[in-house]
Amino acid sequence: MRVFLLYPDQDFQSDGELYPNEPTITPDLDLSTLWQAMARGDDFLREMSQRIILTRVTEIATIGYRQDVLQDSLDNESLVREIYSMAVSAIEREKKSYFGFFSRYPSAILGRSLEVMTIFVEILERLRALAETYKPQFKSSGFSRFFAMVIEELGTDYLIEIRRHLRELKFQKGLFMSVRLGPGNKGSHYILNPRPTTQRRRWIQRIAIKEPDYLTYVVADRDEAGARALTELWDRGIDVVANALAQSVDHILGFFIQLRMELGFYVAGMNLYETLRRLEAPVCFPTPLEFGAPYLGFEELYDPCLLLRRGESVSGNTLTCHDKTLTIITGANQGGKSTFLRSIGLAQLMMQAGLFVGAKSWRTPVASGVFTHYKREEDGSMQSGKLDEELQRMSEVVDQIRPHAMILFNESFTATNEREGSEISRQILRALGEKHITVFFVTHLYELARTLYDEHSDHVLFLRAQRAPDGSRTFRLIEAPPLNTSYGEDVYREIFEV
Amino acid sequence: MAFTSVLFIRPDDIPGVDVEPAYFKDLNLDQVVQAMTRGRSEYNLAPFFYTSLHDVDAILYRQEVFRDLGETEVFAQIHTFGQKLRVMRERLTQAEKRYYPYQKAAWFRDAVEVYCGAIDDLASGLTDRPLASSGLCSFREYLLQYRRSDGFTELLADTELLRRELGSVHYRLHLKGQRIEVYPSADDQDYSAVIEKTFHKFKQGAVKQYRSTFRKDPDMNHVEASILDLVAKWYPEIFSHLQTYYTHRHDYLDPTIGRFDREIQFYLAVHEYVEGFKARGRSFCYPEPSDSKKNIFAKDGFDLALAETLKMEPSAIVCNDFHLAGAERILVVSGPNQGGKTTFARMFGQLHYWANLGCPTPAHAARLMVWDRLLTHFERQEDLGALRGKLQDDLERIHDILLVASSRSIIIMNEIFTSTTLQDAIFLSREILQRIQTLDSLAVCVTFIEELATLSEKTVSMVSTMAQDDPTQRTYKVVRRPQDGRAYAISIAEKYRVTYDWIQERIL
C-alpha cells in the first residue's frame, strides 16, 4: 500500500535531502512566515510544509501532478480533511498501545500487534468505504490512483479473512505444533499447526478404542521454572506469526505515517489558500516551463509573506520578458526592490513545490535551485572583513549552484569601493550568465549598472524602483535605465521630516 | 615397522618436559612459538617445540613430512581431518556437560559420526596421493587398514542406523493452560505460512525483524526433558537402541589415530606460519644437517622473531649471510650500535634451532651443525636487589655455560662485560674466547671490542654496515669483513653532528 500523493511513482522521503542553501534562503525569503500560515499552529504541518518546499523538484510532470491533487483537495476540502484525521488518529492510537512493547517475547509482540491491528483494520474499513463512495468526485490522477489502490488492496473478503485470523491468533483452544528432534535430541523445526477441525470425530474414536492417543505432562502449580519453560515453548510456536503481525503493523503504520505526511502538505496548502483568499489577494496555479526556456512572465506578483505580516493588500508587479538572464534592479530606497526580489524567489519555490503562487499569473522555467546573496549586517565575530565574508558566502553559493538555477542578489559586494565592487560583480555576473543561471541583481553600484547598460546586451533587463514626481513611492518597478541616485535624499526628508 | 608417531622415529625422543629451554627468551623464540601455536592450545604443542632432535635421521624424518605437506592437496586433507576431530571433541564436551541421558547419548552419537566421517574422508583423500615421507606413508598404511577393520565398519554402520532412526522421530504438541499433550504424529500444515501469506502485502519494505532469538544453549529444561520422555514412550525401540549405543561404545577412538591428530598439528602450525612469510616474499629451506663437519653456511638468513616483535612486514626484514671454513669457529660481530648486530646473533641461533627441530628454516639455503646444546648469554636487566654485582653475575653465567658446552655445542654471547673497564673487558673476553676455542664449540660473539676479531685463525670478523652514500643510514647488513675502525667513529661523529660537513653547516 503506497500513498503516492506527492509523486506519481514514489514516496516522499521525510529524511530526504533539502536544498543545501536552506539556512540562507529561509531568512532571506522570509519562508517561516509562509510555513506558519500553512501550519496554523500545527507543528507537524509546519515541519512538512518546510520539508516539502525545501525538497528539490524539477520535473514539470510532478509539479502538475501536485497541482491537480491540490485542486481536488480545494474542491473536496472536508473529505480530504477527514481522511487526514483518520491517519492522525491511527497513528495516535497506535502510540497509546505502546505499553509493554519493549518486551522481546513473541507472546508480548503478538498480543500488542493483535490489539493495534484490530484498530487499524477498523480504520482501513472506514477508509475503503469512503473511497468507494467518493472516488468519482476526484479528478486528479493522484487521488484516483489512491482510492483505486485502497479499494483493490482492501477488498471486503480480504478484511473478513484478516478479522478471522485475528480471532484465531488469540489461540483460545490452545496451541498446536509439530516438532522433530534436533541436535542433542532437543525439539527443533517447530511448526505451528492450525487448530484441528476434526476434534469431535477423534473424541468419538477415542471412546471406541478406549485408549487416549496422546500422553500428557502437566506443569505443576508452583513450578515457576516449568511455567517459564512452557511460555518459551509457546513462544517458539508463535514466533513467526508474531513477526508477521508486527511487521504488518509496522507497514500499515508506515502507510498512515506516509499518508499523514503527504496529505498534510495539501491540508497546509488549503490553509494557506483560505488565508490568502480571505485577504482578497489573487492566487493562481503557475505554469512551469522546461529548464532554460527563454521566457519569464507574471502579472500582479506580490510577496505573500509581506501580505501575511501586514494583513492588508500589497501592490503587485507585472512583467514579461524574453530571453533575459540578468535583471538589474536599481532605484529608490524603500521602493519595493527587496520585496520584489522576495516575491520572485517565493513564487519560484512555491511553484516547484506544486503550490499556487501569489500572482494573477506566473510562467517561468523550472530552476535547479533558488539562491540568495544578500548584504548582511556586520557580525561581531571580527573574524574576517566584510568583503571577505561576502565572498566567502559567494564561494559557498558557487559550491552548490548548478546551471539553470535562479539567484537573487540584494546589494551584494558593496563592502569595498564602487570600482572594485563593480569589477567583482561583473566577473561573477558574467560567469553566472554563461552557466545559464537566471540572476536578479538589486544594486546601488551605479558604475556597474551603467556599463552593463551601455553594452546594450539583449539578455539584460533593467528595472527601476519608481518614484512619483512628488517623491512618494509606488512600490512598483518599471523598466528603465539606471539612475545615478537612489533617492536617499527622499528618505532623509521623510525621516527627518524636513 | 608398525606406525606409532609422525614426529619421532625413536620412542625415547618423546618429550616429557613442559619447560621452556633457557635460550628461548634470548632468541625471542617464545614469541614465535606463541604466534605459531595460536589457536591450537588444545593440542599442547609447546613440548614439541622444547624438544630438539639430536641426530640426522630424526631431523630428516620430519623434513620429509614437511615436504609432503607442501603439496596443497595433502595439506588440505590433513587440515580438514584436524578440524573434524575438533568438531568431534566439541560434541563430546557437549555430551559430558549434558544432564539428561537421552541428550548425552545424542551428542555422543554425533561425535562418533563426525569421527567416522573424518576417518573415511582422510583415508579416501590420501589413497592415491603421491607421498614420499616414510612418516606419512606408514601412517596411511595404518589408516587404510584401520578403515577396513571389522571394528570400524561395524561402528560406522550402527552410527548411521541410529541417525536414521532418530531422524524419523516426529511428534505433535498441544499446549493448553498448564497441560502439554504429546501425539506421536506430526501435522504438516503450517499455520505460520498461512498467516504470512495473508499479511504478505503488509510486509512490503519491512525492515525491522521481530523474530526472537531463543536460548541457544544445548541444555534442556525439565519440561523439555519430560516431553522427550513421553516421546521416547511413543518410540521405545529407537530410544533403547540409543541407550545401548551410548553404554557400549565409549572406547571408539583409536589411540594411534588420536596421537597422530595431535602430533600432525605441530607440522600444520609451522607450515601455516611459514607459508604466511613465503607469500610475502621470504625464502625458507631445509638445511643440510651436518653431523661432524663445521664448515657451515647460511644464505639470506633472517630473524623470524623480528617480524613478530616489531609487527614488521616480512619483506622489510634484512637478510644476512654467514659461513665458516677450515678452522673457523667463532663469528665476532662488531660495528655501529643499532646496526643489526644483535639481530644477526639471534638469527644465527634461530637458524640452528629450527634446523635441529627438523623444521623449515628462515634462510634461502643452509648447511648447519646438528648440535647437542644451544647456549646463550644475553645481557640482563641488573637486579638491584641482588648482592653480587653485574660483572660477577655475567661471569657466573658464562662459567655455567662453559661447564656444559662441548665441541657440538653452539654458544651465543651478546655484549658481554659492558659493566667493567675497557681493559678488564678485553682481558676477560680474551680468556673466555680462548676457552671456547679449546672446547671447539661454534660461537657468535657480539662485542664492541674490535681486537677480538683478530684473536686467532678460529675467529672471523663480521661488521654491521652503513649505507655507502649516506653514512648515517643503517643498512642492518652484517658482512664478513675486517673491522676498519673508521666507519664506527664516523657514525658516532655523525650522531653528535661534529663531522666536517656538519661543522661547516652549523657554524654560520
Side-chain angles (χ1 to χ4, degrees), chain B residues 148-201:
Chain B
R148 280 195 305 271
S149 68
D150 289 348
F152 180 76
T153 44
E154 196 265 331
L155 178 72
L156 179 64
D158 195 23
T159 308
E160 270 300 295
L161 174 64
L162 196 49
R163 184 175 64 79
R164 282 198 301 278
E165 286 173 344
L166 289 172
S168 72
V169 171
H170 53 265
Y171 55 98
R172 198 153 56 100
L173 298 178
H174 179 202
L175 311 184
K176 188 155 195 246
Q178 282 161 282
R179 286 170 64 84
I180 301 170
E181 294 166 4
V182 182
Y183 297 76
S185 64
D187 177 351
D188 289 337
Q189 294 179 77
D190 185 349
Y191 188 53
S192 299
V194 173
I195 292 297
E196 287 202 296
K197 188 160 168 275
T198 298
F199 288 92
H200 178 73
K201 69 170 64 172

